[in-house]
Amino acid sequence: MSSRLYSPSTRNQTKHKMERFMPNSGTFMASFYAPITLTDSPAMIFKMEGDGTVSLLSTGAVHSCDPDRIICKRIVLSGHPCKVHKRSAVVRYLFYNREDIAYFKTNRGKD
């Protein structure tokens, strides 16, 4: 059992968008940590039901064993700019939850 991250199956990009759920149609990739296997090996994804039974959810193949694959999660921040300087700004009413404040207190958003 492992938790997985879903992303679109694109070969020519270096950064991939994270999908919250597995799409019903199209091709996608599920990234997870597991023992290294050979590429083009068959893979099956199972779903654990509430009563303890297991059902087949999806089938596919191992694409590559790339630990440097970047999966980006998009978040939207909104607020009111209070002071604007040359390369920085002070934004009011940006956070409403304590979890957001704790997350961005350690990870400064500078770009």
Side-chain angles (χ1 to χ4, degrees), residues 4-108:
R4 57 223 158 262
L5 296 174
Y6 299 114
S7 62
S9 178
T10 55
R11 295 186 184 260
N12 296 334
Q13 295 179 346
T14 58
K15 297 176 185 165
H16 307 278
K17 181 183 171 239
M18 183 185 107
E19 299 287 339
R20 291 189 183 271
F21 303 102
M22 184 172 64
N24 291 333
S25 63
T27 59
F28 64 93
M29 289 195 174
S31 300
F32 56 92
Y33 287 104
I36 296 176
T37 62
L38 300 172
T39 57
D40 296 332
S41 298
M44 295 186 291
I45 298 175
F46 293 96
K47 180 180 179 181
M48 179 84 68
E49 301 292 337
D51 58 353
T53 60
V54 178
S55 61
L56 181 65
L57 187 64
S58 178
T59 60
V62 175
H63 175 63
S64 68
C65 298
D66 185 12
D68 297 328
R69 182 178 166 87
I70 298 172
I71 299 175
C72 301
K73 180 180 178 181
R74 181 180 176 159
I75 59 171
V76 177
L77 297 175
S78 61
H80 299 285
C82 179
K83 295 179 185 177
V84 178
H85 304 288
K86 288 182 181 179
R87 297 191 66 178
S88 63
V90 176
V91 181
R92 283 191 163 177
Y93 309 114
L94 188 62
F95 304 110
Y96 289 105
N97 301 330
R98 284 209 170 271
E99 296 86 23
D100 295 340
I101 295 169
Y103 177 78
F104 283 101
K105 191 179 260 186
T106 57
N107 299 328
R108 298 275 181 185

